[in-house]
Amino acid sequence: MTLAEKIEQRFTKRPNSYVPAHVLEKLLALPHKPDEERLGLNWAMHWGQGIVLGIVRSIMAERGLRGPVGSFMFMNLRLLNDQTLENATGVGALPWTWPKDEQVIDLVHKGIYAFTTGAVLDRLIPSPDQTPVEREGWTVGEKA
């Protein structure tokens, strides 16, 4: 995701976002500092969220939520995590208030993260046994 962001920024000239740093700043009740003084905090939050949520995706793979469907569900979890933390701390704005290009860029980057993480973890983590369990069916009314 970070590599894709850096490539995208070369084309769009979009500056680095320090929203992750300011979210962590609020969560830790640290005094506000300018962006240029928050690079370490920015990386800690950015990579920390990725690692913690990667653990969630590994549990999903282990339990059978795999492939594109599992990754799509995970992408939504990643977006929900970001928006909840950003808006609960008052650092972010609701996504529908963002310019359309920023919405698209965010979705693309989160999709890259989710589907790459999913592909790697789906390969590394053995799939659970999904053999259907035989069970007696149910019927409506009497048997003939």
Side-chain angles (χ1 to χ4, degrees):
M1 183 171 119
T2 302
L3 178 61
E5 285 174 340
K6 295 305 172 194
I7 293 169
E8 168 263 313
Q9 286 175 312
R10 294 193 100 183
F11 290 100
T12 64
K13 309 292 187 235
R14 184 177 63 83
N16 289 330
S17 170
Y18 283 86
V19 169
H22 295 297
V23 168
L24 189 53
E25 183 179 74
K26 291 272 190 163
L27 291 172
L28 298 176
L30 299 174
H32 178 75
K33 289 191 177 178
D35 290 350
E36 55 274 359
E37 295 180 33
R38 287 297 191 206
L39 183 60
L41 212 54
N42 208 45
W43 287 352
M45 185 65 167
H46 185 75
W47 288 89
Q49 282 183 292
I51 291 167
V52 168
L53 289 171
I55 293 167
V56 173
R57 181 59 175 88
S58 70
I59 294 167
M60 291 171 69
E62 180 190 34
R63 301 291 163 90
L65 293 169
R66 305 170 70 85
V69 172
S71 293
F72 182 75
M73 291 171 63
F74 180 60
M75 181 179 82
N76 286 285
L77 178 63
R78 179 69 168 99
L79 290 163
L80 177 65
N81 177 74
D82 277 5
Q83 288 306 308
T84 301
L85 290 173
E86 290 170 14
N87 288 291
T89 57
V91 172
L94 297 171
W96 52 85
T97 66
W98 302 1
K100 299 280 187 249
D101 60 339
E102 288 184 27
Q103 291 178 25
V104 170
I105 288 168
D106 193 49
L107 288 171
V108 168
H109 291 312
K110 296 304 188 307
I112 289 168
Y113 165 74
F115 282 84
T116 302
T117 302
V120 169
L121 292 173
D122 286 349
R123 284 190 61 97
L124 292 175
I125 297 172
S127 184
D129 178 25
Q130 297 198 347
T131 306
V133 176
E134 290 291 327
R135 63 186 182 102
E136 190 174 323
W138 57 275
T139 60
V140 178
E142 296 180 32
K143 289 187 176 183

